[in-house]
Amino acid sequence: MKTRKPIARASSSTSFSLPSSSFSDMPRKSSLFKHTLIATVFFLFVIYAFFSTFFNSPSDSSSSSSSSFIELDRVFSLENPNDFPQRVKVFMYDLPHKFTYGIIQQHSLARGGSVVSDVTTLKYPGHQHMHEWFLFSDLSKPQSDRLGSPVIRVTDPEEADLFYVPVFSSLSLIVNAGRPPGSGSDYSDEEMQNQLVDWLKGQEYWKRNNGWDHVIIAGDPNALYRGVDHVKNAVLLVSDFGRLRPDQGSLVKDVIIPYSHRISAYTGDFGVKDRKTLLFFMGNRYRKEGGKIRDLFFQILVNEEDVVIKHGTQSRENRRAASRGMHTSKFCLNPAGDTPSACRLFDSIVSLCVPVIISDSIELPFEDIIDYRKFSVFVETTTALKPGYLVSLLRKVPEEQIIEYQKAMKEVRRYYDYTHPNGTVNEIWRQVSQKLPVIKLMINRDKRLVKRQLTEPDCSCLCSNRTGIISSL
Amino acid sequence: MKTRKPIARASSSTSFSLPSSSFSDMPRKSSLFKHTLIATVFFLFVIYAFFSTFFNSPSDSSSSSSSSFIELDRVFSLENPNDFPQRVKVFMYDLPHKFTYGIIQQHSLARGGSVVSDVTTLKYPGHQHMHEWFLFSDLSKPQSDRLGSPVIRVTDPEEADLFYVPVFSSLSLIVNAGRPPGSGSDYSDEEMQNQLVDWLKGQEYWKRNNGWDHVIIAGDPNALYRGVDHVKNAVLLVSDFGRLRPDQGSLVKDVIIPYSHRISAYTGDFGVKDRKTLLFFMGNRYRKEGGKIRDLFFQILVNEEDVVIKHGTQSRENRRAASRGMHTSKFCLNPAGDTPSACRLFDSIVSLCVPVIISDSIELPFEDIIDYRKFSVFVETTTALKPGYLVSLLRKVPEEQIIEYQKAMKEVRRYYDYTHPNGTVNEIWRQVSQKLPVIKLMINRDKRLVKRQLTEPDCSCLCSNRTGIISSL
């Protein structure tokens, strides 16, 4: 901020049209130096005016509105500030540590770590739902490091369009995961959820709009499952709707976010020369619900010579093996797991291994801007389970088409990279921003709706009316 | 366009950073004239670059994308073109005249008019659903007259985000309205609808995305009722959902548009000095369905001395009387009609007569940006019908609050003015633009959805969960 103020002061004594008239009025004796200086100052002014209008930070918004920039604003917006939507303003709650860093501490304690005096020095552990860490980190950065973001973080809640609740809900879920019975800590994820709900319901800005303008991350399909009924008005950032009822989560209210991929990106060339395996899968063979199909795939695919299908759980070694497999296969099998989504899809994409998605109820991140048919094969489950069907379908795909798929994957890869400066994090905020009109509509409408005797809930829906395909190939 | 091309050519040989370095590298002997010229050209270039980026017209978009402006684009967007959404591009179908001007001809013929050789010379007749005329006229204007619009009209459908179908569906509905039996023409609105559906289904761009990216106006709640099942994927511009099933129309897919108000705006001062009547209503006493409450209001209000409640249908004289009544009353009664909405609400607002809305299922235009509680009173129907309740409630409202309501109405008045340069028409396009992300999502998702055995339709919903108020006062 400090570096910008002197320029702002200089410009406040200058109107937008002054420089051009100065040029023509300038006395002929003026030195070249002076002339150049004026031109340069003008150039800097135009650039500054530009940035101050489009990237205005919260702290100087009050001063700029009363400054001479009003002329310029009018040029930009033609008296309609809604023509070119301003960036959405987000306030991030400074949550009590028990909902953020304190959970990292608990996760560490359950694994033999020790108590630290300052929990904010702790490192968030890597796992497939660490999106909550990336979003928290992004909004924690100084505004000067966030210029390219679709949202502006504001520090005054009165200025905010939306309120972000940066709870580490997915990490909380796994604090004691994988610990032998009796060896974990006495940490309770459910208790954390209850406390979070109580805390939120006590917040002035939660109560103001009944939570509609809040954004809550619950990446793991099981995260926040106990509290979601109390916070369902909020925009939920979720991996899928596998554990949510239609009145709790939906495509029109919520945002589907990608898992944080766990294997390294493929950096080699397009093509199939180094991809001898037709179809690859490595993961848990036995899953609940929709994931039961995995065992069936093992049975029908295990004897196909150009197919690699292996049972394996998350571990560093297995991730290395999966990485090798995905980098050397043409297609990667993506069956449903306990819920319709899985991290594997994003591992496949960064590996340029064409995903074969067999998960009829899957929802996909950023589907308004990403057409997944350009790089994925969708097959309906019962058809895919017919012996011989899948391999025969995939063997027929010509090399050129696989290369097209690979090129398309490379194009969209940044959308699945949480560490890319214009990657997943920015895209999630853009998606959240797009919800604002419908959020504001629901806020205003809810407050004036009178008591009605309705036999069904008062819902606005968007319904698909396609009967569906068997395979996208 | 012609005036802009030379500038575009001149600038294509110049990179964005050149002018500033030119200033410092310039030989000292250069003439002041040359110096000034360069500065002026640079100034013009910056201004041009500005406008070309934000107001780029369809016809030069292909050339600009490959020009040197790519440097500038990067400055604007920090490599994220999604930060500042571009204006949405709309293609308006050049419909056969039988769906547009031909309907004006039919309306005229049914009223004794004669056949004209060029139907495009006909004047659209004034009525409360003439929004279809205003939107058609707006998109028919040259691009240079539409610079402040939230949407750009494109003439190449390949460039379009959305497709507007400018059918005069509301006028078609009333071609023979009010004609004594046997005296009207043999024009058939139903036949027009059938032909429109056939025509649309034959269009390449309708078939491409199954209609999701189309925008169709059906302002009168009964307009297009026969064809709507075939075109329900489109964004419908409607007055309310009174005649639509939830799978045909909804707040998340469609846009609620205001009626075209029929009485003159009140131009006097705020206050109640010249508003002796407490509550005013003039309109049809006998309506179907929700409108049956009107007759009940007549019964309970007719003897209140500070209430004016009169039966009257649409006519020039009645409009004058209604105008006088609304300009001299504090509150205007807005009961449901055959459907939840009525033109009267917008007449009330421009009259600065506080609307008393008694229509439990009403949906309101632009409710994301307009909080109707700031200038309207909502009362639940059965409560409002209790003898004495309404007048006693309204008599208690202090003068200062009425003035606050009036000020709020004056602030939003332009949103209900179809002739305002930044009024209803712009706001409708802005609302339509906001649907684009969800439209694109549905387009991509529909195409990859595999066949599923669903017991219920595949819908994404946004549900209100408030129990509701009795009165907003």
Side-chain angles (χ1 to χ4, degrees), chain A residues 208-229:
Chain A
R208 189 178 63 172
N209 291 321
N210 207 13
W212 282 112
D213 48 5
H214 280 53
V215 180
I216 303 183
I217 187 157
D220 189 301
N222 290 311
L224 282 192
Y225 72 97
R226 195 185 177 90
V228 74
D229 255 335

Side-chain angles (χ1 to χ4, degrees), chain A residues 13 40-41 74 85 96 98 180 227 265 289 293 347 352 379 419 429 469:
Chain A
S13 62
T40 309
V41 164
R74 227 172 262 155
K98 62 182 172 183
E289 301 178 29
I293 59 163
D347 289 336
L352 305 191
V379 187
T419 63
W429 292 133
I469 50 177

Side-chain angles (χ1 to χ4, degrees), chain A residues 16 20 23-24 26-28 30 32 35-36 39 42-43 46-47 50-51 54-55 72 75-76 78-80 82-85 87 147-150 207 209-210 212 232-233 246-247 250-253 360-364 367-371 373 378-380 414-415 422 426-427 430 434 437-438 440-442 444-452 457-470, chain B residues 16 20 23-24 26-28 30 32 35-36 39-40 42-43 46-47 50-51 54-55 75-76 78-80 82-85 87 147-150 207 209-210 212 232-233 246-247 250-253 360-364 367-371 373 378-380 414-415 422 426-427 430 434 437-438 440-442 444-452 457-470:
Chain A
F16 185 58
S20 89
F23 281 122
S24 52
M26 193 174 285
R28 290 188 160 259
S30 70
L32 184 62
H35 204 154
T36 306
F42 169 56
F43 174 74
V46 169
I47 295 298
F50 225 143
F51 277 82
F54 281 97
F55 307 110
L72 198 60
V75 173
F76 279 12
L78 290 168
E79 299 185 86
N80 187 354
N82 300 319
D83 281 3
F84 308 109
R87 285 193 290 170
L147 290 184
S149 173
K207 288 184 277 189
N209 291 321
N210 207 13
W212 282 112
K232 65 181 180 181
N233 277 2
D247 71 304
S250 86
L251 286 175
V252 293
K253 178 176 73 71
D360 302 354
S361 301
I362 198 167
E363 298 298 348
L364 298 160
E367 203 167 1
D368 59 331
I369 52 163
I370 296 176
D371 181 353
R373 290 178 312 150
F378 292 86
V379 187
E380 187 265 336
R414 73 171 168 94
Y415 289 103
N422 194 20
N426 274 8
E427 186 52 29
R430 208 182 61 82
Q434 291 178 169
V438 90
K440 286 180 168 177
L441 171 62
M442 291 308 277
N444 283 333
R445 184 173 175 272
D446 253 19
K447 287 182 178 166
R448 60 87 185 160
L449 274 185
V450 296
K451 200 168 182 169
R452 286 179 294 171
D458 169 29
C459 298
S460 298
C461 303
L462 201 53
C463 303
S464 166
N465 48 13
R466 283 289 177 96
T467 49
I469 50 177
I470 294 300
Chain B
F16 185 58
S20 87
F23 280 123
S24 52
M26 193 174 284
R28 290 187 160 261
S30 72
L32 184 61
H35 205 154
T36 306
T40 309
F42 170 55
F43 175 74
V46 170
I47 297 299
F50 223 146
F51 278 82
F54 282 95
F55 307 109
V75 173
F76 280 3
L78 289 169
E79 299 185 86
N80 187 354
N82 301 319
D83 280 3
F84 308 109
R87 285 192 290 170
L147 290 184
S149 173
K207 289 184 275 190
N209 292 320
N210 207 13
W212 283 112
K232 65 181 180 181
N233 278 1
D247 70 304
S250 86
L251 286 176
V252 292
K253 178 175 74 70
D360 301 354
S361 302
I362 199 168
E363 298 298 348
L364 298 160
E367 204 167 1
D368 58 331
I369 52 163
I370 296 176
D371 180 354
R373 291 178 311 150
F378 293 86
V379 187
E380 188 266 335
R414 73 171 168 94
Y415 289 104
N422 194 21
N426 275 7
E427 186 52 28
R430 207 181 63 81
Q434 291 178 170
V438 91
K440 287 181 168 175
L441 170 64
M442 292 308 277
N444 283 332
R445 185 173 174 272
D446 253 19
K447 287 181 178 166
R448 60 87 185 160
L449 275 184
V450 296
K451 200 167 182 169
R452 286 179 295 171
D458 169 30
C459 298
S460 299
C461 304
L462 200 53
C463 304
S464 166
N465 48 12
R466 282 288 177 98
T467 49
I469 50 177
I470 294 301

